């Protein structure tokens, strides 16, 4: 296997593991939040994806 | 300026991430939190508010029949307003309230706490008509507001728990 592809695969596994870890910890911690807190988190999470989407769109991705 | 305009959505996304972290910290701190301290024998157990979020909504402990079980109950008010509530503790057996251990109205100032104490002894249980054969479970229900905490105390007879067994008197 080409070295570059192997590196990309390893990067992919690393990034996926990090995201899975963060998602798991967040899901655990969200249990301790109040209902308004959960709603605020949901709104901000939507905001993160929307703004990142616009940013990547503007830089031409 | 063009550079700043280009990154404005990135900055907004970062601000949202910071807001998310701020909600986690602030929301985690604000609220009413209670802690139960149970002392049996020489051991003190501390049960913090998050412990009750487990699947089993009770805590169990054991005590010797002839020893007192001491409870210390602490309610912290992490709110900007005064919190008033009635704190009650009672002993339940087979879904029936058998002894009232504690009942008092409390008013807790913002970002302050109150501590109340009570004890459960075998004498109280005996006077209520309960005894012990080998083991006996009693449920202590602690209430404030709409919150109910359950502590199951498993009493064992002093003979069961005394290890090593005392030696018989030596014959002379």
């Amino acid at each position: 296997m080409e070295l570059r592809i192997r590196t990309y695969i390893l990067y992919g596994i690393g990034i996926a593991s990090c995201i899975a870890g963060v998602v798991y910890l967040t899901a655990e911690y969200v249990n301790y939040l109040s209902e308004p807190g959960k709603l605020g988190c949901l709104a901000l999470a939507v905001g993160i994806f929307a703004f990142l989407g616009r940013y990547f769109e503007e830089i031409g991705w | 300026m063009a550079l700043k305009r280009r990154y404005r959505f990135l900055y907004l996304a970062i601000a949202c991430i910071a807001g998310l972290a701020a909600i986690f910290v602030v929301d985690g701190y604000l609220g009413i939190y209670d802690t139960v301290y149970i002392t049996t024998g020489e051991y003190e157990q501390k049960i913090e508010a998050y412990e009750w979020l487990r699947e089993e909504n009770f805590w169990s402990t054991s005590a010797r029949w002839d020893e007192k079980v001491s409870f210390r109950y602490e309610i912290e008010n992490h709110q900007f307003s005064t919190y008033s509530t009635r704190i009650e503790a009672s002993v339940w057996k087979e879904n029936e309230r058998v002894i009232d251990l504690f009942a008092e109205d409390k008013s807790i100032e913002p970002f302050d706490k109150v501590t109340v104490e009570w004890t459960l002894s075998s004498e109280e249980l005996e006077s209520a008509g309960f005894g012990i054969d080998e083991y006996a479970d009693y449920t202590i229900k602690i209430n404030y507001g709409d919150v109910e905490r359950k502590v199951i105390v498993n009493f064992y007879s002093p003979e069961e728990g005394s290890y090593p067994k005392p030696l018989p008197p030596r014959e002379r």
Side-chain angles (χ1 to χ4, degrees):
Chain A
M1 194 188 288
E2 203 181 320
L3 185 65
R4 208 170 140 188
I5 296 172
R6 207 164 57 186
T7 309
Y8 282 139
I9 290 171
L10 287 174
Y11 271 140
I13 292 170
I15 290 166
S17 304
C18 287
I19 291 170
V22 170
V23 166
Y24 171 73
L25 290 175
T26 308
E28 283 290 303
Y29 196 81
V30 153
N31 289 329
Y32 299 93
L33 292 180
S34 65
E35 292 303 315
K38 283 177 188 168
L39 188 64
C41 285
L42 181 66
L44 288 173
V46 170
I48 290 168
F49 287 116
F51 291 133
L52 279 180
R54 283 301 300 272
Y55 168 69
F56 287 124
E57 192 185 336
E58 286 213 342
I59 62 171
W61 274 33
Chain B
M1 191 66 188
L3 188 72
K4 278 189 180 172
R5 277 182 67 82
R6 190 180 177 189
Y7 289 115
R8 68 186 188 278
F9 289 114
L10 182 62
Y11 293 145
L12 284 169
I14 291 169
C16 285
I17 293 169
L20 211 59
I23 287 180
F24 272 41
V25 173
V26 174
D27 194 283
Y29 179 74
L30 292 179
I32 306 291
Y33 294 94
D34 62 325
T35 311
V36 187
Y37 297 86
I38 307 167
T39 307
T40 55
E42 293 304 309
Y43 301 99
E44 184 180 76
Q45 294 173 319
K46 182 182 181 183
I47 309 137
E48 291 185 90
Y50 70 88
E51 300 271 13
W52 305 102
L53 296 171
R54 295 174 305 152
E55 275 181 32
E56 316 92 50
N57 63 340
F58 64 88
W59 185 270
S60 60
T61 187
S62 60
R64 238 171 64 163
W65 181 251
D66 57 353
E67 280 180 347
K68 280 185 179 173
V69 184
S70 303
F71 289 86
R72 186 152 51 91
Y73 191 53
E74 199 173 85
I75 299 183
E76 291 180 56
N77 178 15
H78 294 176
Q79 294 186 138
F80 294 97
S81 57
T82 302
Y83 180 72
S84 298
T85 187
R86 183 170 180 77
I87 303 171
E88 288 182 333
S90 51
V91 183
W92 291 65
K93 183 75 177 168
E94 292 167 2
N95 275 332
E96 277 186 36
R97 193 187 190 116
V98 291
I99 301 172
D100 287 324
L101 294 171
F102 183 88
E104 212 169 283
D105 291 316
K106 289 282 177 188
S107 187
I108 313 164
E109 294 296 310
F111 299 98
D112 201 359
K113 64 181 177 183
V114 292
T115 306
V116 295
E117 291 181 21
W118 65 83
T119 54
L120 171 65
S121 64
S122 52
E123 287 87 7
E124 283 176 284
L125 291 167
E126 279 168 357
S127 62
F130 294 97
I132 186 166
D133 191 10
E134 281 187 352
Y135 298 100
D137 287 332
Y138 294 92
T139 304
I140 316 302
K141 287 189 182 178
I142 305 166
N143 299 77
Y144 78 90
D146 299 330
V147 178
E148 182 177 270
R149 308 298 192 202
K150 284 184 203 165
V151 178
I152 296 174
V153 181
N154 169 248
F155 281 103
Y156 56 90
S157 82
E159 286 78 30
E160 286 297 316
S162 57
Y163 292 102
K165 297 272 186 196
L167 292 170
R170 194 180 286 176
E171 286 178 21
R172 295 190 179 200

